[in-house]
Amino acid sequence: MKHSRLNVVGCGRLGQAISTLFITAGIVDEIHVCNRSQASGAQTVAAIGVGVAHASMGEMPPSTLWLISCGDEAIEEVAERVASEAACLPDAIVFHCSGLLDSTVLESVRRAGARVASVHPVRSFADREMAVRDFRGTFCGIEGDLAAQEVLTEIFTTIGGRVFPLSTEGKILCHAGHVFASNYVVSLLECAHRLYRAAGIPEELSWCLMEPLVRSAVDNVVRLGPARALTGPIARGEAEIVKRQAMAVSQESPVSGELYRMLGCVAVEVATANGLSPERGDEILRGLRGCGDL
Ligand SMILES: NC(=O)c1ccc[n+]([C@@H]2O[C@H](COP(=O)([O-])OP(=O)(O)OC[C@H]3O[C@@H](n4cnc5c(N)ncnc54)[C@H](OP(=O)(O)O)[C@@H]3O)[C@@H](O)[C@H]2O)c1
């Protein structure tokens, strides 16, 4: 598994953390970095504590491992430049760590002879030191060429990752799942906060009200599954109450009203899986549809 060096093109928050993890675990002995400017590369190398900054990809030494960790929008174009400028790609593995993009954006380096993959560590790299310290146990979704997957699975397992396979076609939906589980939870809590405010609940109290509700909802979904975790008026089949509440929320805020009704539809499906009768479920849906466009 020993590779002499890792070449990193676009070494920012994630690139620095992965470089540190690879060096610390003895996966590679050398790190070579190429950012947009050599000055940025030099700062990066100083932050990692080891490595060499290069002014161009053509200057980077041959390597069997390449990480392209610039922002997602630049990955395809950077891969094209790696394909045309880098030395000795035929034996190399080239990978990126985007959660959203799959390995097909690396087609140009694949055509140049490299094996390609994407490995998405499902965590934040906002704080490099914290990401390195807490990396053990991080889930890493992998897809791409089988030969590249084999090597990268071993490497990411060695640095503490919990690697799981993804299909190339399914990757974008898997990432959308992360968006719902993370970013949109923030959006939902903001909606809850606005409704508390409209109800005259003081700011500080609103967060205190939310915290135990959110924590227990998450604990219960993980422990019992969504069907048994769902409580409230939809789980009890209270169609009239749900309709009244949907109207009140829509009057307060059209956006929150729309969300209430859409998430209510999902809740009806979940409640039906836990014994709510289809007839009562339909009645709730009619009530939800009756107070807005669904
Ligand atoms: N950050 C996270 O929490 C996280 C989590 C999971 C996955 N990821 C993935 O990791 C990748 C990198 O994200 P990041 O947050 O680490 O980005 P970042 O901190 O913004 O770093 C991107 C780096 O790429 C360099 N760069 C940009 N365009 C370039 C180009 N054309 N050629 C060479 N270097 C270039 C930038 O440096 P200069 O501008 O100074 O050159 C910077 O050092 C993305 O694919 C992202 O989806 C990130």
Side-chain angles (χ1 to χ4, degrees), residues 1-238:
M1 190 197 5
K2 189 81 184 169
H3 296 262
S4 56
R5 60 181 66 99
L6 172 69
N7 282 1
V8 188
V9 185
C11 197
R13 286 163 291 196
L14 175 132
Q16 291 174 23
I18 295 294
S19 299
T20 305
L21 287 160
F22 277 25
I23 283 282
T24 310
I27 307 288
V28 294
D29 296 322
E30 298 169 22
I31 301 288
H32 292 262
V33 166
C34 178
N35 281 5
R36 268 182 293 215
S37 70
Q38 200 167 5
S40 154
Q43 279 172 8
T44 293
V45 163
I48 302 171
V50 286
V52 182
H54 298 271
S56 71
M57 292 174 218
E59 272 184 17
M60 296 176 99
S63 174
T64 49
L65 265 186
W66 287 74
L67 166 59
I68 299 181
S69 51
C70 52
D72 286 1
E73 287 186 348
I75 291 178
E76 192 161 12
E77 180 217 315
V78 165
E80 280 164 15
R81 286 183 40 222
V82 170
S84 60
E85 294 174 34
C88 297
L89 274 184
D91 287 330
I93 287 169
V94 181
F95 67 105
H96 68 70
C97 290
S98 165
L100 197 115
L101 300 174
D102 60 53
S103 59
T104 57
V105 291
L106 302 176
E107 188 51 33
S108 49
V109 281
R110 184 188 268 138
R111 269 189 265 110
R115 288 153 295 165
V116 301
S118 70
V119 187
H120 176 225
V122 188
R123 62 160 305 121
S124 164
F125 287 83
D127 180 324
R128 183 179 60 86
E129 280 174 20
M130 201 185 282
V132 168
R133 195 192 61 208
D134 299 341
F135 189 81
R136 188 153 292 282
T138 297
F139 285 98
C140 299
I142 191 168
E143 63 75 44
D145 295 341
L146 286 181
Q149 281 197 51
E150 215 169 276
V151 172
L152 291 166
T153 295
E154 198 179 339
I155 289 177
F156 275 80
T157 304
T158 302
I159 63 172
R162 295 164 75 176
V163 182
F164 64 98
L166 282 170
S167 72
T168 301
E169 314 74 53
K171 184 164 181 182
I172 196 160
L173 295 181
C174 177
H175 187 263
H178 302 329
V179 170
F180 271 99
S182 171
N183 311 150
Y184 287 178
V185 171
V186 175
S187 307
L188 274 184
L189 296 187
E190 173 58 19
C191 281
H193 177 236
R194 289 178 191 179
L195 292 168
Y196 286 137
R197 192 171 52 209
I201 306 284
E203 173 88 13
E204 224 172 274
L205 179 58
S206 81
W207 302 116
C208 298
L209 286 172
M210 261 187 261
E211 189 183 341
L213 292 174
V214 176
R215 289 191 194 282
S216 64
V218 173
D219 284 350
N220 288 339
V221 168
V222 172
R223 209 162 43 88
L224 306 170
R228 286 178 59 209
L230 186 71
T231 58
I234 290 184
R236 291 191 295 269
E238 295 168 348

Side-chain angles (χ1 to χ4, degrees), residues 260-284:
Y260 182 99
R261 288 180 284 111
M262 285 184 167
L263 293 172
C265 293
V266 179
V268 168
E269 287 175 23
V270 173
T272 307
N274 198 37
L276 180 74
S277 73
E279 296 74 29
R280 189 46 71 92
D282 284 345
E283 200 183 333
I284 297 174

